[in-house]
C-alpha cells in the first residue's frame, strides 16, 4: 500500500527557537487531530534536527534533513553526513531538490551517490525531479524527468528503491506562486509511475509514493491531492505557517 505523505521543506528559514516553536505547535495539533495512517515529515535545517526530533511525539509526525554529503566521513569542512543525520533520529532526507541542482551544481551522478549513502545509513530518500519552464515549453519535460530518475534513482536495487519517495517539483512552480494545474500534475505523476513500473514492476510502482511540490498551499492542495497518482505534497513556503500547513495536511 502506498503511503500518503506531506513533507514540509523549511529550506534556510527559522532560527532554532522559531523552528522549535513551530514543531511544538504542529506536534500539539497532530496529537489532538491524529494523522491516522498519513505521515507528516518536517525537513528542517541541520541544526534543528536533534532538538526538533526530541519534541515530536504525535504518531505519524516525523522529521528529516534537506541534504546530505555523499561521503561517509572525513575532511569535508562544513558538510554533514547521512550517518550524522540518522544519529539525530531523523528518518528521511530530501535529495535532488532543484535549488541544490541549480545553485550548488549537484548533478545526476552526485545525487546517485548521495542517495546510496543515505540509504546505507537507514534514511528514506525523498528524491526530487522536475523540469524548468523552458524545458516544458520545448516539450522535453518528460525526457528531463525520465533522465533525472534513470540516472539518479534507477540504479538502485528494487529493495533499496522501495525505501524512496519521489517528489515531482516543476521548477517553474517552486516559490513562484504559479502551481502546476491538477491535470499537469496528474499527467507527470502517472508518467513517473509508468517509468517505475517498467523498471521495478507493477507492484512496486503501485506502492511508490509520488509527491507534488511547487506553490502547493491550503487553497489548492485539495484539487492537486484529488488526483489518483498524487500521493501528497512537498511543501516549501506554506510549511512555515502552522495553520496553513495543517490545512494542507487535512486536504490529503
Ligand atoms: P514552495 O517550495 O512550496 O515554496 O513552492 C516547494 C519546494 O521547493 O519544495
Amino acid at each position: 500500500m502506498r503511503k500518503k505523505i506531506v513533507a514540509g521543506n523549511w529550506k534556510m528559514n527559522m532560527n532554532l527557537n522559531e523552528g522549535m516553536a513551530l514543531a511544538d505547535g504542529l506536534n500539539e495539533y497532530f496529537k489532538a487531530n491524529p494523522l491516522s495512517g498519513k505521515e507528516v515529515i518536517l525537513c528542517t535545517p541541520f541544526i534543528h534536527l536533534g532538538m526538533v526530533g526530541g519534541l515530536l511525539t504525535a504518531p505519524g509526525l516525523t522529521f528529516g534533513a534537506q541534504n546530505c554529503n555523499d561521503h561517509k566521513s572525513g575532511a569535508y569542512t562544513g558538510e554533514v553526513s547521512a550517518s550524522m543525520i540518522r544519529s539525530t533520529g531523523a528518518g528521511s532526507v530530501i535529495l535532488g531538490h532543484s535549488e541544490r541542482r541549480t545553485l550548488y551544481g549537484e548533478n545526476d551522478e552526485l545525487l546517485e551517490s548521495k542517495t546510496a549513502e543515505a540509504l546505507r545509513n537507514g534514511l528514506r530518500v525523498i528524491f526530487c525531479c522536475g523540469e524548468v519552464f523552458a524545458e516544458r515549453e520545448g516539450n522535453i519535460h518528460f525526457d528531463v524527468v525520465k533522465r533525472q530518475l534513470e540516472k539518479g534513482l534507477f540504479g538502485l536495487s528494487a529493495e533499496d528503491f522501495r525505501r524512496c519517495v519521489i517528489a515531482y517539483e516543476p521548477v517553474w512552480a517552486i516559490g513562484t506562486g504559479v502551481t502546476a494545474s491538477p491535470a499537469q500534475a496528474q499527467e507527470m505523476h502517472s508518467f513517473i509511475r509508468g517509468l517505475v513500473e517498467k523498471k521495478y514492476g507493477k507492484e512496486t510502482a503501485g506502492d511508490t509514493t509520488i509527491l507534488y511540490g511547487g506553490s502547493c498551499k491550503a487553497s489548492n492542495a485539495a484539487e492537486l491531492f484529488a488526483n489518483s497518482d498524487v500521493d501528497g505534497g512537498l511543501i516549501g513556503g506554506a510549511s512555515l505557517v502552522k495553520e496553513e500547513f495543517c490545512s494542507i495536511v487535512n486536504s490529503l
Side-chain angles (χ1 to χ4, degrees):
M1 258 287 283
R2 77 178 82 134
K3 187 145 205 175
K4 301 270 186 196
I5 295 175
V6 176
N9 176 8
W10 290 7
K11 307 194 181 185
M12 195 175 75
N13 292 296
M14 290 191 292
N15 66 29
L16 185 56
N17 286 335
E18 291 162 345
M20 286 173 66
L22 176 57
D24 191 43
L26 291 169
N27 189 55
E28 289 306 316
Y29 181 85
F30 292 119
K31 274 198 313 196
N33 304 274
L35 284 163
S36 28
K38 290 184 274 193
E39 181 172 352
V40 169
I41 312 171
L42 308 182
C43 295
T44 77
F46 290 132
I47 63 141
H48 294 59
L49 289 173
M51 298 294 275
V52 160
L55 293 172
L56 306 183
T57 56
L61 181 57
T62 67
F63 67 107
Q66 303 166 15
N67 179 30
C68 72
N69 190 269
D70 58 319
H71 293 94
K72 198 165 176 276
S73 62
Y76 302 100
T77 301
E79 288 295 292
V80 175
S81 73
S83 77
M84 291 172 187
I85 294 169
R86 186 70 189 119
S87 74
T88 67
S92 308
V93 61
I94 298 173
L95 291 176
H97 191 280
S98 69
E99 285 150 21
R100 300 294 319 172
R101 290 177 190 265
T102 53
L103 302 175
Y104 299 96
E106 298 193 0
N107 61 22
D108 297 321
E109 289 70 31
L110 177 65
L111 293 171
E112 184 179 34
S113 33
K114 286 190 175 198
T115 299
E117 182 60 17
L119 292 170
R120 256 196 299 280
N121 285 281
L123 293 168
R124 170 179 42 194
V125 172
I126 302 170
F127 190 89
C128 303
C129 57
E131 80 285 356
V132 300
F133 190 64
E135 292 164 338
R136 180 163 280 266
E137 279 206 313
N139 204 30
I140 55 166
H141 46 300
F142 292 115
D143 303 328
V144 169
V145 167
K146 182 167 186 265
R147 190 211 74 226
Q148 291 171 336
L149 293 176
E150 285 182 346
K151 296 229 165 146
L153 264 191
F154 287 180
L156 294 174
S157 68
E159 194 190 331
D160 279 345
F161 177 81
R162 291 178 68 87
R163 292 160 55 215
C164 298
V165 164
I166 295 173
Y168 169 58
E169 299 205 304
V171 181
W172 45 272
I174 296 178
T176 56
V178 180
T179 317
S181 69
Q184 285 172 321
Q186 170 58 26
E187 185 185 34
M188 183 59 87
H189 282 226
S190 139
F191 173 74
I192 291 171
R193 203 176 299 287
L195 294 176
V196 175
E197 181 173 338
K198 251 189 229 136
K199 172 72 193 168
Y200 294 107
K202 205 173 174 59
E203 192 185 338
T204 296
D207 287 347
T208 300
T209 298
I210 308 177
L211 309 179
Y212 169 79
S215 296
C216 182
K217 41 189 185 262
S219 58
N220 59 25
E223 58 180 23
L224 287 160
F225 297 164
N227 293 286
S228 59
D229 287 303
V230 179
D231 308 311
L234 178 55
I235 318 298
S239 73
L240 302 173
V241 182
K242 181 186 149 193
E243 292 69 28
E244 179 84 9
F245 189 60
C246 293
S247 154
I248 294 171
V249 174
N250 290 333
S251 319
L252 186 61

